[in-house]
Amino acid sequence: MRRSYCYQAVAPFFILKGDKMKDITSVEDILKKLTLEEKCSLLSGESFWYSQSIEKKRIEKMMFTDGPHGLRKQNDKADHLGMNKSVPATCFPPACALGASWNENLIYEMGEALGIECRTENVAVLLGPGVNIKRSPLCGRNFEYFSEDPYLSSHLAKQHIMGVQSKGVGTSVKHFIANNQETKRLTLNAVVDERTLREIYFASFETAIREGNPWTVMCAYNQLNGHFGSEHKYVLNDVLRDEWKYDGLVVTDWGATNDRVEGLIAGQDLEMPSSGDVNDRKVQKAVEDGILSEEYVDRAVRRLLKLSQKVHERKEVEPFDKEKHHALAKRIASECIVLLKNEDKILPLNQTEKIGVVGEFAVKARLQGGGSSHINPTFTDCILDEMRKTGGELVSFAKGFAMDQDCLDENMVKEAIQLAKESDKLVVCMGLPESYETEGLDRTHLNLPEIQLEFLERIFPYNENIVVVLNNGAPVAMPFENKVKGIVEGYLLGQAGGAAVAEMLYGMTNPSGKLAETFPQRLEDTPSFLNFPGEGYKVEYREGIFVGYRHYDTKKIKPQFCFGYGLSYTDFSYDSIHVDKKKADDQEKITVTVEITNIGKRTGKEIVQLYVHDRQTAVTRPEKELKGFCKLELNPGQTGKAVFELDKRSFAYYDVEQKDFLVQTGDFDILVGASSQDIRLQEQVYVKSTAVIHKQFHKNSTFGEIYEYLPTREIAEEMMDYFKRESGIDFELGDNVEDFAFRVICDFPLKTLVTFTKGKYSEAQLDELIHKLNHVN
């Protein structure tokens, strides 16, 4: 028998009858029935977490709530800093750890689980993922972001978005754009050049938005080049909507509105949270006074109603299973752990060994960062307890130090020293306290707390088999690297991180994480060192496109651990690389196939990374850039294939003058390896640009510029010969006279045709030449 029924959450526009959705009132019909006052009321929230409702028009409120790595729904006192308690939810690994997994499928699965939990709590939009670039390791909110690389960040965020939304819950990709520090984030002016914006900061959002299609995008607090994120027309309209064809809703970060009328014009649709109708009245008055077209109001309300339509037409999903989601959290955490050092194969631990465990982090690990993303976990695994499940009574513990103290307790140190003497191996659990990494504050240094470093120095003489397990959300300096045999980067692994770490230490799982950010040796080596966090209320991104490994590799600065680095309990050989074509134009795609083999004795996963190096020198480019990655699981002796497809953007840079991504015609190196500094295979391809470029020349354009531009090269050669003959300059220097003359003349501006020939070449001839150059077919 066919059923007729409605969803529990009554749809404002739809009913479900006979298992078929029937549109009884369109968005446009609803819009026409709203008064100006009612429409303006929909432009801001009803309360801290809810959008506005209009009951008599059957428009229901929608709940927005914090994420991104778990559900932070608050029932009572609301805040956006994670201070008040929220409902229990699965605390999955934050983005700092997820980035190290390089596993798109796992992140999609996590998204699905988040969507299910949101549906259980009737949440419409989960605020995340955060895809801001890790410009500096000091950013206090880096634990909430994926990577320093925009390609990796955007592709992982895409899966997060698609996973959540597959369950009928919207996402809000954030914080758009250039919100890369916490210091003065509410008013700071980030000064970023156009090429850097396009290649680094926009790029981190672009794939996530174009292909992931989040239901909402959250604008940033800060200013970009003098305009607030909530009213930046170039960002919110010209790029986001006109270029990227985004048709969803733009919501402010909580309290980010500056000028509500200007924001509406720019494309900022929903102000959150409620401002008590203060800004709604401003919008209404602007329309009534003829200052603002009502169409801007209609446009924003239309987008809000379409979001409501998506929320209320969603299908039923499976119930929230806490145990199942906890098991998923552990599986994800296991792939986020990065083994940084394993001297003498000190890991994995053997169940027959006496293992000493020291450090308060072993019993009180940090699961996540502080602030608006702080989740109230359903369960919490403890490293020590989980290690004892495998090692039993052979695992002993001494606190050694307390994470919230500034001085060592001598009694605790003595107890730890005694344990070190009695143990075959010593696991030291260290990390950053939450006060070091939280929303609203940036770090000022890369150091672990002094008390922990002092403790480590005190313990060194008593056991030579030390493994350090780190618990932190961003890079730290490791002065102890050469004094310990093992280093495990445990990041912030969520509620099941303790079990994941214990199983990895004992070899029950094989570490497969790799760094999604560079760990520098010194703060002074970082790209933004001289320009972070800025001066006054302005920060200049003077490092440009040279962020992260782009900086270290290009300037040949040795980091502590490079981007893409991570060890395994097995070994992989990179056997062969094949490209399906050696020559292509930039409209064609090139397929790269790589074969690797697990040559060790354990099943393991390898993250195969593909980088591109541009051999041309006319435009400054990074030494290499990530353009593909693939995580393969291989049994001992098994060979697998990683297949990559490269398109125009894989080879292109952003040309500010042409306002487009362009390829420099010529040779490119395809580099494949285990990290940014461990390249195992290489192939070369030739890519030809098909772009029709219209250069505009003037009297201060140089001979070199018109020579570099192929359509005007013949004219350039003719005029350079003329200049050489008539300028009166003696070019008879050097061993190669022709080459010397060419290099010198390239730097002369065209106006010198008149001045250096003393008028023999006239102003009129110069004007005619420039006209000719600008009209070459």
Side-chain angles (χ1 to χ4, degrees), residues 381-437:
D381 290 342
C382 163
I383 294 176
L384 179 63
D385 290 345
E386 296 299 324
M387 288 182 68
R388 282 176 169 163
K389 288 180 181 179
T390 302
E393 294 181 355
L394 292 177
V395 177
S396 301
F397 174 70
K399 189 174 180 179
F401 63 85
M403 62 176 70
D404 58 352
Q405 292 181 356
D406 295 328
C407 298
L408 290 174
D409 181 308
E410 287 301 320
N411 290 328
M412 286 198 293
V413 173
K414 289 178 181 178
E415 182 185 8
I417 289 174
Q418 185 59 37
L419 179 60
K421 291 177 179 178
E422 297 170 354
S423 302
D424 296 321
K425 294 176 181 177
L426 194 67
V427 175
V428 183
C429 297
M430 306 168 63
L432 295 176
E434 187 171 298
S435 60
Y436 277 52
E437 299 178 292

Side-chain angles (χ1 to χ4, degrees), residues 173-184:
V173 64
K174 61 185 184 182
H175 311 85
F176 197 53
I177 184 107
N179 183 180
N180 303 294
Q181 64 186 70
E182 295 300 288
T183 303
K184 300 177 181 175

